Amino acid sequence: MRLAPTKKGSTDPNADAAHAADLTHGARHVAIIMDGNGRWAKKKHLPRALGHKKGVEAVRNIVRVAGEMGIEALTLYAFSSENWSRPADEITDLMGLLRQYIQSDIDEFDENGIRLKVIGNYKALDKDIVQLIDNALERTASNDRMTLAIALNYGAQDEMLRAVQAIATAVKKGDVEPEQINISHMSGALDTAELPPLDLLIRTSGELRLSNFLLWQAAYSELYFTDVLWPDFDKRELQRALQSFGARERRFGGR
Ligand code: IPE
Ligand code: IPE
Ligand code: MG
């Protein structure tokens, strides 16, 4: 499925930008903790695997919708560094769905100007998945309508540790003095380095925690929690979250 015409097809770029700002309420970067697939399945007396399958459909839909709305970056928490503690068969199901998703949706990413990005230590996943991801990253690298960042084997503490290690290496090489290290060095060493600042962080399924997601980036993000389970999260729910975001007064510590 193709999205509505891109910015490039428009005659009045200003009108397009204004339209996008209307729909997104000014949110450039939205991240979602996609939680509740298991409970969705349980409620319907279905196996958990079917909950994850429905979850992928919700991903597909939200990626389209976010692209159409004009969101610049959408970051989705798909598999955490702590999710390895789940039973082996569930991990196999999740990895199978990931394979299928990349293979089946890569053409659509390209058609719709979606640049894929992966955050987290994805190189530790199965070799064939790493290969699929690397191909998809390369193929979509010059797309510029929206960046879809998928968090795979991601943990914010692990991400920050890797950033600190990179900075410590730079110090050791004499490229930077310890007392010169600043917030930009740290932001720039994180997996999210080239993404816009995180405006809105959404979590579905009623849990009120961040579960090791984007801990640095969320410093001044607006938080939105909904009881809706991830497989039921649709365009209307995203609009609700964005409306709530639009009604917030962001002060960043000022007055
Ligand atoms: C979110 O759904 C998907 C992943 C964490 C991979 P869950 O599988 O966590 O669903 P619940 O929380 O058990 O309902
Ligand atoms: C967070 O959900 C991770 C993802 C959505 C990928 P979890 O279901 O793993 O989080 P907890 O265990 O409830 O904190
Ligand atoms: Mg969960």
Side-chain angles (χ1 to χ4, degrees):
M1 193 188 104
R2 267 192 97 86
L3 298 185
T6 61
K7 288 173 204 156
K8 283 174 195 146
S10 164
T11 46
D12 181 353
N14 291 332
D16 249 16
H19 180 62
D22 265 8
L23 296 174
T24 63
H25 296 267
R28 298 174 60 202
H29 182 183
V30 175
I32 311 181
I33 303 174
M34 310 182 291
D35 198 14
N37 293 349
R39 276 161 285 167
W40 183 91
K42 192 167 181 198
K43 248 177 53 184
K44 296 191 147 41
H45 308 285
L46 296 169
R48 282 183 74 84
L50 275 185
H52 292 313
K53 195 159 172 244
K54 269 301 260 190
V56 175
E57 284 173 35
V59 168
R60 198 166 272 135
N61 183 45
I62 287 302
V63 169
R64 277 177 195 151
V65 165
E68 283 170 358
M69 284 177 166
I71 286 172
E72 278 176 56
L74 176 69
T75 302
L76 300 177
Y77 205 4
F79 193 84
S80 78
S81 48
E82 286 73 38
N83 285 146
W84 296 111
S85 65
R86 296 193 178 199
D89 61 338
E90 182 167 354
I91 294 175
T92 305
D93 289 341
L94 287 166
M95 293 302 152
L97 285 168
L98 176 62
R99 266 189 201 94
Q100 265 177 30
Y101 176 67
I102 300 172
Q103 280 169 331
S104 62
D105 284 45
I106 176 83
D107 288 342
E108 190 173 323
F109 292 164
D110 245 357
E111 273 173 30
N112 291 327
I114 292 171
R115 179 176 75 111
L116 185 71
K117 183 175 168 63
V118 172
I119 63 169
N121 183 14
Y122 76 94
K123 298 278 184 188
L125 300 179
D126 287 350
K127 272 210 173 64
D128 70 301
I129 298 183
V130 175
Q131 190 66 57
L132 272 176
I133 291 172
D134 284 337
N135 288 343
L137 293 176
E138 203 185 302
R139 195 174 140 189
T140 63
S142 60
N143 293 343
D144 60 2
R145 180 176 181 140
M146 181 178 85
T147 299
L148 169 65
I150 305 185
L152 292 172
N153 189 21
Y154 175 89
Q157 291 177 337
D158 171 68
E159 180 193 33
M160 287 190 277
L161 270 179
R162 287 186 284 107
V164 167
Q165 283 165 356
I167 294 170
T169 304
V171 169
K172 199 173 166 190
K173 285 203 323 209
D175 292 344
V176 62
E177 294 299 322
E179 53 281 359
Q180 289 173 335
I181 299 168
N182 57 30
I183 288 178
S184 306
H185 284 122
M186 189 66 188
S187 300
L190 294 171
D191 297 347
T192 50
E194 358 74 276
L195 297 178
L198 180 60
D199 293 310
L200 173 63
L201 175 53
I202 298 170
R203 183 170 190 148
T204 60
S205 89
E207 306 296 353
L208 304 180
R209 57 177 170 265
L210 297 182
S211 300
N212 203 8
F213 193 46
L214 302 178
L215 299 182
W216 173 279
Q217 297 85 343
Y220 269 104
S221 306
E222 295 298 324
L223 307 180
Y224 181 87
F225 296 97
T226 170
D227 287 337
V228 172
L229 303 172
W230 175 249
D232 293 326
F233 192 90
D234 58 9
K235 180 175 181 174
R236 218 176 45 148
E237 297 302 332
L238 181 61
Q239 283 169 335
R240 283 203 177 117
L242 289 166
Q243 264 157 21
S244 168
F245 172 81
R248 313 269 180 101
E249 190 196 342
R250 302 182 81 187
R251 288 192 287 271
F252 300 97
R255 52 167 290 189

